[in-house]
């Protein structure tokens, strides 16, 4: 099967030469004359390799790399940078090459040098994907094992606490004495600013924990939590958790993984709030909720619009207008249960 390449090169002669070499070597080549078009093309094609020429254009190579890697579909796609000796004085480029790609090709180059560099990047990408797949399998193994230990060891004979829909579970400033584990239902965590505006910081469902950040650092809760459906949950005390970790040290891996995931999620939220347009913030949140909060993987999001607006960090009226536009563009649809994504690929293009 032919492998596809997206070539981002602003020089017409160089672009045509590279295209000819690759096509004669059985590659399918998609060309872009500038970085902006290259980003759009890469997100549309999802190629096996991206070749990017380092230029002095308005959108530079670092921005191209970061924008493309933001897409989950392109995170494993390798890059090959085409540059000159002069650009090797650029510290940002050197760091990017060493840490992220470990591969560049100096201009001018021969046909053999180009093909060797392309094959090297593709081979390394395959090895990286195999490594990531193995790592993911290990992570899933430990996660399932530790969750079953948690349920079997501590939850079987523990008291079940019940909260009705919209009931408060804890408030900001309350002392943190437990980690909460959801047996049934859904919970949100949120903060309220001085103007009374709510901003949702997290959603949690069956077989998930919440309230662990404040619990671990021995601080009062820095956010509020509320049941968004009828909820049944367990409370795990500090003494019980210490005993569990002492008996099963690998549980620490899962706790660290939860904290790291929360940190990444909050950083993404802050970046969207600071720099993202309303359309981008809405699209990103819809994709995230469909991925993390939907069990069936059918793109359905069963959430009230007011909670969705609070999660995105925009006004309710603004959300309604944006969702209307998305429906007109056939990105989403709506039924009595809630919203449903029609095309994740099209939504990704909004980002």
């Amino acid at each position: 099967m032919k492998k596809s390449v997206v070539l981002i090169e602003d020089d017409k002669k160089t672009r045509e030469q590279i295209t000819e070499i690759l096509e004669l070597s059985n590659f399918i080549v998609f060309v872009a004359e500038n970085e902006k078009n290259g980003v759009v093309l890469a997100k549309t094609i999802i190629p096996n390799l991206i070749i990017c020429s380092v230029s002095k254009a308005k959108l530079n190579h670092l921005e191209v790399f970061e924008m493309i890697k933001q897409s989950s579909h392109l995170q494993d796609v390798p890059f090959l940078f085409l540059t000159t000796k002069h650009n090797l004085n650029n510290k940002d480029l050197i760091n990017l090459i060493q840490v992220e790609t470990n591969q560049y090709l100096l201009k001018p180059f021969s046909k053999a040098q180009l093909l060797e560099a392309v094959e090297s990047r593709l081979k390394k990408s395959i090895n990286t994907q195999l490594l990531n797949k193995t790592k993911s399998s290990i992570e899933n193994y430990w996660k399932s094992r530790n969750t079953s230990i948690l349920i079997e060891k501590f939850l079987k004979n523990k008291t079940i606490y019940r909260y009705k829909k919209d009931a408060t579970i804890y408030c900001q400033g309350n002392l943190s004495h437990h980690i909460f584990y959801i047996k049934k239902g859904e919970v949100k965590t949120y903060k309220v600013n001085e103007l009374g505006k709510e901003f949702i910081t997290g959603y949690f469902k069956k077989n998930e924990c919440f309230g662990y950040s404040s619990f671990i650092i021995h601080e009062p809760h820095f956010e509020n939590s509320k049941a968004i459906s009828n909820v049944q949950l367990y409370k795990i005390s500090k003494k019980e958790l210490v005993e569990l970790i002492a008996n099963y040290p690998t549980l620490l891996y899962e706790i660290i993984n939860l904290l790291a995931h929360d940190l990444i999620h909050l950083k993404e939220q802050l970046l969207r709030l600071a720099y993202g347009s309303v359309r981008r913030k809405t699209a990103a949140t819809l994709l995230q909720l469909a991925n993390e909060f939907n069990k069936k993987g059918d793109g359905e999001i069963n959430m009230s619009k007011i909670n969705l607006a609070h999660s995105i960090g925009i006004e309710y009226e603004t959300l309604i207008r944006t969702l209307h536009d998305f429906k007109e563009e056939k990105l989403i649809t709506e039924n009595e249960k809630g919203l449903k994504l029609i095309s994740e690929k099209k939504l990704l293009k909004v980002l």
Side-chain angles (χ1 to χ4, degrees):
M1 183 177 177
K2 290 185 177 182
K3 295 189 181 298
S4 58
V5 176
V6 166
L7 171 62
I8 306 172
E9 171 60 68
D10 55 2
D11 182 73
K12 182 179 179 181
K13 184 178 179 181
T14 305
R15 190 168 62 244
E16 290 176 349
Q17 288 175 342
I18 295 174
T19 300
E20 183 180 1
I21 291 171
L22 293 177
E23 286 182 341
L24 289 173
S25 299
N26 212 31
F27 288 94
I28 301 174
V29 184
F30 300 89
V31 297
E33 298 178 1
N34 56 60
E35 288 87 344
K36 185 176 181 180
N37 291 342
V39 171
V40 174
L41 191 59
K43 289 183 176 181
T44 305
I45 301 300
I46 316 295
N48 298 105
L49 175 68
I50 298 170
I51 300 177
C52 181
S53 179
V54 177
S55 67
K56 296 180 180 179
K58 186 175 181 181
L59 187 64
N60 65 34
H61 55 282
L62 292 172
E63 291 171 321
V64 171
F65 183 85
E66 290 170 356
M67 289 174 69
I68 287 177
K69 290 301 180 180
Q70 285 176 1
S71 171
S72 59
H73 296 83
L74 293 168
Q75 288 179 359
D76 292 329
V77 176
F79 264 72
L80 173 62
F81 285 108
L82 307 179
T83 186
T84 62
K85 287 184 178 180
H86 172 74
N87 283 324
L88 290 180
N89 295 323
N90 185 319
K91 291 183 179 179
D92 288 336
L93 175 61
I94 293 300
N95 290 336
L96 182 62
I97 288 171
Q98 290 176 342
V99 176
E100 299 288 0
T101 67
N102 198 29
Q103 184 68 59
Y104 65 94
L105 187 60
L106 285 177
K107 296 178 180 179
F109 47 80
S110 66
K111 173 183 175 180
Q113 288 172 326
L114 174 63
L115 292 176
E116 182 182 357
V118 167
E119 292 297 338
S120 173
R121 291 304 300 133
L122 290 172
K123 184 177 180 180
K124 184 170 183 179
S125 173
I126 292 172
N127 292 336
T128 301
Q129 289 176 30
L130 288 172
L131 181 63
N132 289 340
K133 188 175 181 181
T134 302
K135 182 181 177 183
S136 177
S137 298
I138 293 171
E139 289 175 350
N140 290 335
Y141 166 75
W142 282 119
K143 185 174 181 180
S144 62
R145 179 180 175 183
N146 288 328
T147 300
S148 65
I149 290 171
L150 194 67
I151 294 172
E152 181 181 347
K153 187 74 177 180
F154 285 99
L155 307 185
K156 187 175 181 181
N157 299 315
K158 284 184 65 65
T159 302
I160 298 174
Y161 294 83
R162 292 174 170 82
Y163 294 83
K164 292 185 177 180
K165 181 180 178 181
D166 294 327
T168 297
I169 298 170
Y170 60 74
C171 295
Q172 182 175 341
N174 289 164
L175 292 178
S176 176
H177 297 297
H178 301 91
I179 288 178
F180 301 89
Y181 187 90
I182 301 174
K183 175 180 172 63
K184 183 179 180 181
E186 297 165 350
V187 172
K188 70 177 179 181
T189 54
Y190 63 97
K191 294 181 74 69
V192 179
N193 66 14
E194 61 275 8
L195 299 176
K197 185 176 180 180
E198 182 180 302
F199 178 70
I200 293 177
T201 55
Y203 281 98
F204 305 90
K205 57 184 183 296
K206 180 180 178 181
N207 295 334
E208 290 186 344
C209 294
F210 67 98
Y212 42 80
S213 299
S214 301
F215 177 84
I216 289 172
I217 61 175
H218 312 292
E219 293 285 342
H221 289 293
F222 60 88
E223 59 192 0
N224 308 284
S225 69
K226 181 181 288 188
I228 55 178
S229 65
N230 291 334
V231 170
Q232 297 178 16
L233 54 80
Y234 299 99
K235 296 180 180 180
I236 303 170
S237 70
K238 190 167 296 184
K239 181 180 178 181
E240 290 170 328
L241 184 63
V242 169
E243 181 184 343
L244 180 59
I245 292 174
N247 291 328
Y248 304 97
T250 50
L251 181 59
L252 275 173
Y253 177 86
E254 187 172 346
I255 294 173
I256 292 170
N257 192 44
L258 285 170
L259 292 171
H261 179 272
D262 283 359
L263 181 60
I264 292 170
H265 173 62
L266 287 172
K267 282 185 176 181
E268 289 175 346
Q269 279 187 308
L270 288 172
L271 285 172
R272 287 200 296 266
L273 284 171
Y275 302 111
S277 67
V278 169
R279 283 176 61 85
R280 285 184 177 181
K281 288 190 285 190
T282 304
T285 303
L286 290 174
L287 287 166
Q288 179 187 338
L289 291 172
N291 181 49
E292 295 185 1
F293 209 58
N294 182 267
K295 301 173 186 176
K296 300 177 183 177
D298 56 8
E300 285 195 358
I301 302 172
N302 302 325
M303 181 184 298
S304 69
K305 290 190 179 70
I306 190 67
N307 278 334
L308 182 57
H310 291 163
S311 182
I312 299 169
I314 60 177
E315 297 294 336
Y316 177 78
E317 293 77 11
T318 304
L319 173 67
I320 296 301
R321 289 195 297 270
T322 307
L323 293 179
H324 174 75
D325 292 342
F326 282 2
K327 290 177 202 172
E328 291 289 314
E329 297 166 34
K330 300 190 184 306
L331 300 176
I332 63 172
T333 186
E334 187 174 5
N335 54 37
E336 65 278 0
K337 293 182 179 179
L339 301 173
K340 184 173 182 178
L341 308 190
I342 297 176
S343 173
E344 289 192 15
K345 285 188 176 181
K346 288 182 179 179
L347 264 180
L348 282 167
K349 292 179 183 179
V350 178
L351 302 182

